[in-house]
Amino acid sequence: MDRFKRSVARRVFAFELNEATHRIESEEKLVQLLLPTGVPCSRVFIVGVLLDREETRPDSDFWKIRVSDPTGVFRGFIGKFQPDALESLLKIDPPEIVAIVSKVRLFEGNRTVVTLRPEFIVPVERDVMNYWIVETAEHTLSRIENMKKGGKELVEEAWRIYNPDLSKYEERVKEALEAVISSPKVEEEEVEEEKEEVEEVEVEEFEEVPEFSDEFEFEEEELDLSDILG
């Protein structure tokens, strides 16, 4: 029997995720969003500021949240079907920087809205958010380059559905990176501590899915943004 594997948790900025409006279905019948940069997405790994949490009704144990990154705001809901995330959420006092692994949902009504269904949420330090911004910028720019090249089925579908202004996406990535540059200098010793903190949480929470560890590892040892900013 094959070991259960979760789908990839993509690094996506709020700006792009909020522009996703198209649902696709895989051969495994997994419902996913098609991101405007041409890749499928059913789960995300984000780091941002938990702005607020609000119970939808008294004693409902169903909470709505807003989390911001330098490009916009993610919106989500946490309830009894995400017991670990709910327990963690109730221990966090906004505003607080948090790391979240979440499923994504698409609601189609008067307007199309993408929301999060967090599976995992934990407070982290600003250094972790800075590294997430750098890596998410790199992932986004890589997808943009693939869009420019064209040819792949989902890339062509993204062009047909969204016809994205890639220069606008590049500008938002640049703004996010400039937020990192303007933040306090990250000391190497502190960075290593933060990396260890995230990795320890990952091992404890997702030990049944070892492949998932890649989603939490930071590839950059230092915040050298020269190659990305040009």
Side-chain angles (χ1 to χ4, degrees):
M1 184 177 188
D2 293 337
R3 173 174 287 190
F4 171 74
K5 295 182 181 180
R6 304 185 186 204
S7 58
V8 172
R10 299 207 181 266
R11 292 172 173 83
V12 183
F13 286 123
F15 170 74
E16 179 176 2
L17 188 66
N18 288 333
E19 292 205 339
T21 61
H22 184 66
R23 191 193 311 266
I24 57 178
E25 191 170 296
S26 69
E27 293 179 357
E28 294 79 17
K29 305 301 181 184
L30 174 66
V31 176
Q32 304 183 90
L33 303 181
L34 176 62
L35 294 180
T37 51
V39 296
C41 177
S42 61
R43 299 170 72 241
V44 294
F45 169 39
I46 67 170
V47 181
V49 179
L50 176 65
L51 300 175
D52 50 51
R53 62 180 192 191
E54 180 182 354
E55 196 168 16
T56 56
R57 296 187 307 277
D59 302 319
S60 66
D61 275 341
F62 193 64
W63 296 73
K64 57 183 178 181
I65 62 172
R66 294 191 307 136
V67 179
S68 69
D69 72 8
T71 73
V73 176
F74 301 94
R75 291 170 174 80
F77 294 90
I78 300 179
K80 62 182 180 180
F81 293 109
Q82 302 89 32
D84 294 337
L86 179 59
E87 181 180 359
S88 298
L89 175 70
L90 298 180
K91 296 176 183 177
I92 302 172
D93 293 321
E96 182 76 72
I97 299 175
V98 294
I100 296 176
V101 176
S102 176
K103 295 178 181 178
V104 295
R105 291 290 182 267
L106 185 66
F107 290 94
E108 299 167 300
N110 294 331
R111 64 190 183 97
T112 302
V113 179
V114 179
T115 63
L116 305 180
R117 287 294 186 276
E119 304 166 304
F120 160 81
I121 178 172
V122 64
V124 295
E125 298 300 324
R126 179 167 295 277
D127 301 342
V128 175
M129 183 172 179
N130 286 345
Y131 273 92
W132 176 83
I133 291 171
V134 172
E135 289 209 326
T136 303
E138 292 178 338
H139 283 242
T140 304
L141 291 175
S142 176
R143 296 195 298 268
I144 289 173
E145 286 304 309
N146 286 332
M147 287 289 289
K148 291 177 179 178
K149 294 175 183 177
K152 296 181 180 179
E153 181 179 351
L154 288 181
V155 165
E156 295 303 321
E157 189 170 359
W159 274 118
R160 179 176 58 82
I161 293 169
Y162 300 110
N163 191 27
D165 181 351
L166 297 182
S167 63
K168 180 174 67 173
Y169 281 73
E170 290 171 333
E171 184 62 30
R172 299 308 291 270
V173 169
K174 182 178 179 180
E175 291 172 2
L177 291 173
E178 287 172 345
V180 174
I181 293 173
S182 63
S183 68
K185 180 176 174 57
V186 180
E187 298 296 335
E188 182 177 350
E189 195 171 304
E190 294 175 352
V191 170
E192 290 303 318
E193 291 176 358
E194 294 303 329
K195 289 171 64 178
E196 290 174 5
E197 176 185 342
V198 175
E199 288 165 1
E200 286 174 3
V201 170
E202 181 278 320
V203 171
E204 179 180 347
E205 296 291 334
F206 297 99
E207 58 184 5
E208 293 184 1
V209 193
E211 295 83 1
F212 195 71
S213 63
D214 288 344
E215 299 305 317
F216 285 86
E217 292 176 359
F218 296 112
E219 298 169 359
E220 296 295 316
E221 290 300 325
E222 297 183 17
L223 296 178
D224 181 3
L225 310 182
S226 57
D227 290 341
I228 299 176
L229 288 174

